[in-house]
């Protein structure tokens, strides 16, 4: 493998991993607050269609990403109102959100099918990009890719060192206790859900504005579900989410690379892989009460209604 | 599409079903597997429908139902179209074969036309395009335009139709450049732009400089445009996704066929038939060449195109050698139709093996 090839392959892996990372980071925050939102796929699709529609109308990719973020946010707001105020079942509501997002995005996107635009370009960083080899290997990406790393370190800091990060975790572990000592559980869960929606929106917009700058119906093709699996795979830890995103993103690219070289690995097995690994991780952390306690937000998926 | 199905259902329940009488327009129904706007397979069928509409004006009233999954829903949709009084129904995807036959039995006075299938009945005809002729011609251009002698092909699923196009593409390229090799990457999807793009990127990284695809989205051509290599439009013209990258597009034009079938039903001369049309009949059409193609290559291309149209050049004419070096079709012979329809091996020059 030549160096030129390695740089190209690495760039493909980064592009594949970035939307997974964004969506999974968002979901991680939501789940850490004890809310399971299975609507990631639907929110991503809405982010993708809104991002593409606005970018092709306005000609600005930045506005497009903004619209993607807002669309994801709006979708998650529906989920938040339903599950937090009206106490609907989180699993059912999340699934409904995915189906709703798939249909609505296809409807909105009808007049945008068949259009194309100039996708998001990598940015050059003065001096750093000019470093031979390394410059083009790690300092030649678009700002969303760098954003995913900023987000990673931000989240690590947030959950480990910030007071509000600890409060979010407390809400996810035991909303009853958090409420008893005076934290606004519902408000915190609202914010966590909205953050998840916004990140899913960006992830979707990255697909329709950077990876393949166009809109086609159902273009996320199950990436929202991979993001959901990633959070479990990562046992709710940001750094492992990032590793997992690169792993799952990289597997596809390497499989394609193998095919191009004439080595064939059944793609069905690779499509199963994220879920298979997730099940293994679930089995590992569920083997005794202690490991469950250490890894999983205890109130995950349970509704909470504050009784005053 | 749900709405349209609903209307059809309402019409049925309210007893509005009418049998076509003299003076009333002939109702023609179309069942599509994808959205009309997909710029590929379904789009081409809908263009055919619109062209047919234009020819007959008031005499024909056509309706379509899009996004119909190839499962239990298909039968329901076809049945509703028949119940609604459509006298001719086109079902445009392979997976509609059995539902079409089932409904056809229940509506013996309605005529059905099923695309890409192989089962016929008293009132069911089948039709298909010789799309491999287009793939062969793309190969001719690819063989001439490549500098690295490595061609790329993004495949969807390893079904005979796609394997045939890969082989035709490779044979076309070899006819002008015996040194070429074709790399194939299967993405296991008809429609996943991001994966198609990744597959294209991978092959470009491995040295391929002319790409073709048998998937439905324009992602491959978009990637080619960005990376400065050549590619082709498939099923419909994709030049707007890659004005510099698209050398030509192999498109499908169903309008002549739809017009002919509707005319036969109007005249009362319709009979079930198995139709296989290609470049000669104008069902497979190549779009104008990219200006980047040198004049001598364009001339060679036109000559080959004429040879296929006149029948002197058969894309699957011998000698055809498979990957192991075994001669599958002798010189001077043509591959038999049933073998062509179930083709399951790569010809020499294609790298890798067909996933089992």
């Amino acid at each position: 493998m030549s160096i030129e090839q390695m740089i190209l392959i690495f760039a493909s892996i980064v592009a594949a991993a970035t939307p997974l990372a964004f969506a999974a980071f968002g979901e991680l925050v939501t789940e850490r607050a004890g809310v399971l939102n299975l609507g990631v796929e639907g929110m991503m699709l809405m982010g993708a269609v809104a991002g593409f529609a606005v970018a092709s109308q306005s000609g600005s990719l930045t506005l497009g990403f903004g619209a993607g973020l807002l669309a994801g946010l709006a979708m998650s707001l529906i989920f938040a109102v339903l599950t937090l105020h009206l106490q609907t079942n989180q699993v059912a509501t999340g699934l409904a959100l995915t189906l709703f997002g798939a249909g609505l995005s296809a409807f909105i996107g009808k007049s945008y099918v068949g259009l194309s635009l100039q996708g998001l370009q990598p940015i050059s960083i003065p001096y750093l990009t000019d470093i031979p080899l390394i410059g083009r290997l790690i300092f030649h990406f678009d700002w969303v890719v760098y954003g995913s790393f900023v987000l990673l370190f931000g989240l690590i800091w947030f959950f480990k060192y910030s007071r509000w990060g600890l409060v979010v975790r407390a809400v996810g572990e035991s909303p009853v206790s958090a409420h008893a000592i005076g934290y606004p559980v519902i408000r915190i869960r609202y914010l966590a859900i909205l953050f998840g929606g916004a990140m899913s929106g960006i992830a979707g917009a990255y697909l329709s504005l950077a990876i393949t700058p166009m809109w086609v119906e159902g273009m996320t093709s199950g990436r929202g579900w991979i993001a959901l699996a990633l959070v479990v795979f990562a046992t709710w830890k940001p750094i492992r989410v990032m590793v997992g995103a690169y792993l799952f993103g990289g597997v596809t690219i390497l499989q394609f690379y193998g095919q191009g070289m004439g080595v064939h690995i059944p793609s069905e097995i690779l499509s199963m892989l994220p879920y298979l690994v997730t099940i293994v991780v679930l089995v590992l952390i569920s083997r005794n009460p202690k490991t469950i306690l250490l890894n999983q937000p205890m109130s995950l998926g349970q509704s909470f209604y504050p009784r005053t | 599409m749900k709405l349209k199905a609903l209307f059809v259902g309402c019409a049925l329940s309210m007893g509005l079903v009418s049998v076509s009488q003299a003076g009333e327009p002939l109702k023609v129904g179309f069942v599509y597997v994808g959205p009309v706007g997909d710029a590929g397979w379904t789009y081409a069928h809908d263009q055919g429908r619109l062209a047919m509409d234009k020819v007959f004006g008031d005499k024909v009233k056509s309706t379509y139902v899009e996004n119909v999954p190839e499962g239990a829903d298909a039968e329901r949709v076809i049945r509703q179209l028949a119940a609604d009084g459509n006298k001719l129904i086109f079902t445009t995807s392979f997976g509609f074969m059995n539902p079409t036959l089932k409904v056809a039995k229940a509506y013996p006075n309605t005529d059905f036309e099923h695309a890409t299938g192989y089962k016929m009945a008293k009132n069911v005809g089948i039709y298909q395009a010789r799309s491999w002729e287009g793939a062969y011609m793309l190969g001719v251009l690819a063989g001439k335009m490549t500098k690295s002698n490595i061609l790329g092909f993004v495949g969807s699923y390893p079904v005979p139709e796609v394997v045939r196009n890969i082989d035709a593409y490779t044979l076309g390229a070899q006819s002008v450049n015996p040194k070429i090799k074709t790399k194939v990457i299967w993405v296991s999807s008809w429609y996943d732009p991001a994966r198609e793009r990744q597959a294209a990127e991978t092959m470009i990284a491995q040295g391929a400089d002319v790409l073709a695809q048998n998937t439905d989205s324009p992602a491959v051509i978009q990637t080619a445009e960005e990376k400065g290599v050549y590619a082709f439009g498939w099923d419909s013209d994709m030049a707007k996704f890659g004005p510099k990258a698209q050398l030509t597009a192999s498109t499908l034009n169903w309008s002549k066929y739809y017009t002919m079938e509707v005319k036969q039903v109007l005249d009362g001369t319709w009979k079930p038939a198995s139709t296989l049309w290609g470049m000669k009949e104008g069902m497979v059409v190549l779009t104008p060449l990219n200006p980047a193609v040198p004049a001598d290559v364009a001339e060679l291309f036109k000559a080959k195109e004429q040879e296929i149209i006149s029948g002197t050049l058969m894309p699957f004419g011998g000698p055809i050698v498979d990957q192991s070096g075994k001669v599958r079709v002798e010189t001077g012979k043509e591959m038999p139709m049933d073998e062509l329809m179930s083709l399951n091996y790569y010809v020499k020059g294609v790298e890798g093996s067909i996933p089992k």
Side-chain angles (χ1 to χ4, degrees):
Chain A
M1 198 193 291
S2 76
I3 288 165
E4 201 57 37
Q5 274 186 12
M6 267 169 61
I7 291 175
L8 284 166
I9 301 275
F10 185 66
S12 303
I13 294 176
V14 172
T18 301
L20 291 180
F22 263 97
F25 282 145
E27 181 67 12
L28 176 120
V29 172
T30 308
E31 292 191 12
R32 272 293 182 96
V35 181
L36 179 67
N37 184 354
L38 295 180
V40 178
E41 180 90 357
M43 298 189 294
M44 279 178 77
L45 278 167
M46 284 302 289
V49 73
F52 187 81
V54 168
S56 61
Q57 291 285 345
S58 68
S60 158
L61 289 175
T62 317
L63 280 183
F65 273 100
L69 185 148
L70 287 179
L73 200 79
M75 289 291 282
S76 64
L77 186 63
I78 300 175
F79 177 85
V81 170
L82 288 172
T83 56
L84 298 181
H85 262 88
L86 305 173
Q87 302 286 312
T88 59
N89 179 293
Q90 291 179 7
V91 172
T93 313
L95 288 173
L97 198 67
T98 285
L99 297 173
F100 174 60
L104 186 63
S105 62
F107 178 68
I108 295 173
K110 262 206 145 51
S111 51
Y112 295 97
V113 174
L115 299 180
S116 181
L117 51 78
Q118 173 78 27
L120 192 64
Q121 296 303 309
I123 45 173
S124 293
I125 306 166
Y127 307 114
L128 289 179
T129 310
D130 300 332
I131 304 171
L133 195 62
I134 307 220
R136 283 201 303 138
L137 195 61
I138 55 175
F139 294 114
H140 193 64
F141 292 112
D142 54 67
W143 57 266
V144 180
V145 172
Y146 298 120
S148 69
F149 282 92
V150 172
L151 196 58
L152 167 67
F153 293 116
L155 286 176
I156 293 175
W157 171 81
F158 179 73
F159 282 120
K160 236 180 174 161
Y161 302 107
S162 84
R163 179 182 163 74
W164 281 105
L166 292 175
V167 173
V168 169
R169 280 167 63 184
V171 168
E173 293 300 327
S174 171
V176 180
S177 318
H179 177 68
I181 51 172
Y183 287 115
V185 172
I186 297 293
R187 217 176 303 161
I188 288 165
R189 284 195 164 177
Y190 253 108
L191 290 175
I193 293 171
L194 291 180
F195 180 80
M199 292 306 111
S200 291
I202 291 188
Y206 193 73
L207 284 173
S208 69
L209 294 177
I211 300 186
T212 47
M214 60 176 153
W215 163 254
V216 288
E217 203 179 315
M219 70 185 297
T220 50
S221 308
R223 284 177 185 79
W225 297 109
I226 295 184
L228 273 164
L230 248 178
V231 178
V232 180
F233 165 81
T235 59
W236 294 269
K237 304 238 177 1
I239 182 74
R240 292 189 196 161
V241 164
M242 202 60 159
V243 172
Y246 275 79
L247 205 64
F248 293 158
V251 155
T252 318
I253 310 284
L254 290 180
Q255 182 242 348
F256 285 164
Y257 191 81
Q259 278 196 45
M261 304 285 287
V263 186
H264 205 277
I265 314 158
S267 64
E268 291 81 1
I269 291 184
L270 288 162
S271 335
M272 281 190 289
L273 200 66
Y275 309 107
L276 214 61
V277 178
T278 304
I279 293 169
V280 171
V281 170
L282 271 177
V283 169
L284 284 179
I285 60 175
S286 313
R287 78 207 124 127
N288 65 51
K290 209 171 133 205
T291 48
I292 297 177
L293 217 63
L294 274 174
N295 288 300
Q296 191 176 336
M298 283 315 289
S299 74
L300 186 61
Q302 292 163 16
S303 294
F304 170 73
Y305 189 72
R307 271 165 255 277
T308 43
Chain B
M1 113 24 213
K2 287 272 155 62
L3 213 65
K4 209 162 271 164
L6 200 73
F7 283 144
V8 175
C10 285
L12 173 67
S13 60
M14 289 188 294
L16 293 176
V17 184
S18 58
V19 180
S20 170
Q21 288 156 5
E24 267 183 50
L26 173 76
K27 289 172 93 176
V28 182
F30 287 81
V31 186
Y32 299 148
V33 71
V36 167
D38 74 352
W41 179 254
T42 296
Y43 177 79
H45 282 286
D46 200 54
Q47 291 295 308
R49 177 184 71 86
L50 291 170
M52 179 275 291
D53 263 356
K54 237 187 208 151
V55 172
F56 294 105
D58 292 344
K59 280 193 278 182
V60 166
K61 192 174 170 298
S62 72
T63 41
Y64 67 86
V65 185
E66 61 182 333
N67 258 336
V68 179
E70 296 180 319
D73 270 354
E75 191 188 323
R76 187 176 54 76
V77 170
I78 300 168
R79 194 175 289 276
Q80 276 168 342
L81 281 172
D84 192 37
N86 288 288
K87 285 288 143 201
L88 177 61
I89 296 172
F90 293 94
T91 54
T92 62
S93 187
F94 180 78
F96 297 154
M97 182 163 70
N98 291 327
T100 304
L101 284 157
K102 226 168 149 185
V103 179
K105 234 182 213 161
Y107 289 88
N109 295 322
T110 304
D111 299 325
F112 294 84
E113 285 279 334
H114 176 239
T116 72
Y118 54 83
K119 286 187 194 164
M120 290 171 62
K122 249 191 6 276
N123 55 339
V124 181
I126 52 176
Y127 62 106
Q128 189 166 180
R130 292 194 298 265
S131 57
W132 60 87
E133 294 180 350
Y136 184 91
M137 290 306 298
L138 303 189
V140 170
L141 264 189
K144 276 287 176 191
M145 297 300 286
T146 177
K147 292 199 173 65
S148 63
N149 289 331
I150 301 173
L151 310 184
F153 197 104
V154 179
S156 46
Y157 293 101
V159 293
E161 181 192 342
V162 182
V163 173
R164 200 159 57 222
N165 288 330
I166 293 171
D167 282 350
Y169 180 62
T170 308
L171 290 169
Q174 282 170 343
S175 74
V176 295
N177 179 355
K179 281 183 297 205
I180 66 101
K181 294 253 175 291
T182 306
K183 283 186 186 293
V184 181
I185 292 185
W186 298 97
V187 292
S188 299
S189 169
W190 286 107
Y191 215 65
D192 183 343
R195 279 172 82 91
E196 289 167 41
R197 184 198 169 97
Q198 289 159 357
E201 276 178 348
T202 306
M203 286 192 294
I204 294 167
Q206 289 172 336
D209 61 356
V210 187
L211 305 178
Q213 78 280 358
N214 209 160
T215 46
D216 283 348
S217 96
V220 172
I221 204 157
Q222 205 180 35
T223 311
E225 177 85 3
E226 203 186 300
K227 305 274 178 195
V229 302
Y230 291 123
F232 300 102
W234 188 252
D235 286 350
S236 66
D237 191 346
M238 296 176 172
K240 62 183 165 187
F241 290 96
K244 287 203 287 283
Q246 177 174 299
L247 289 172
T248 181
S250 174
T251 66
L252 296 173
N253 183 347
W254 306 99
S255 60
K256 247 166 113 181
Y257 183 72
Y258 288 158
T259 308
M260 183 183 96
E261 293 300 296
V262 169
K263 187 166 185 312
Q264 286 178 357
V265 171
L266 280 169
D267 297 348
T269 56
W270 186 90
K271 275 193 184 68
S274 168
T275 309
L276 191 58
W277 281 5
M279 280 163 45
K280 185 176 153 211
E281 296 85 356
M283 195 177 258
V284 176
V285 182
L286 296 153
T287 60
L289 296 183
N290 186 319
V293 177
D296 59 323
V297 176
E299 222 164 89
L300 175 81
F301 183 79
K302 288 281 165 227
K304 292 241 179 203
E305 193 178 359
Q306 280 313 314
E307 282 175 42
I308 290 186
I309 289 173
S310 66
T312 48
L313 172 64
M314 294 167 294
F316 282 95
I320 290 174
V321 181
D322 69 12
Q323 282 178 310
S324 65
K326 197 171 133 202
V327 177
R328 294 293 192 118
V329 179
E330 306 272 347
T331 313
K333 284 195 180 139
E334 197 186 0
M335 190 181 286
M337 200 37 90
D338 54 336
E339 194 183 331
L340 190 58
M341 283 299 139
S342 59
L343 194 65
N344 61 355
Y345 60 85
Y346 284 152
V347 295
K348 203 171 175 173
V350 184
E351 290 186 341
S353 57
I354 301 175
K356 290 279 163 347

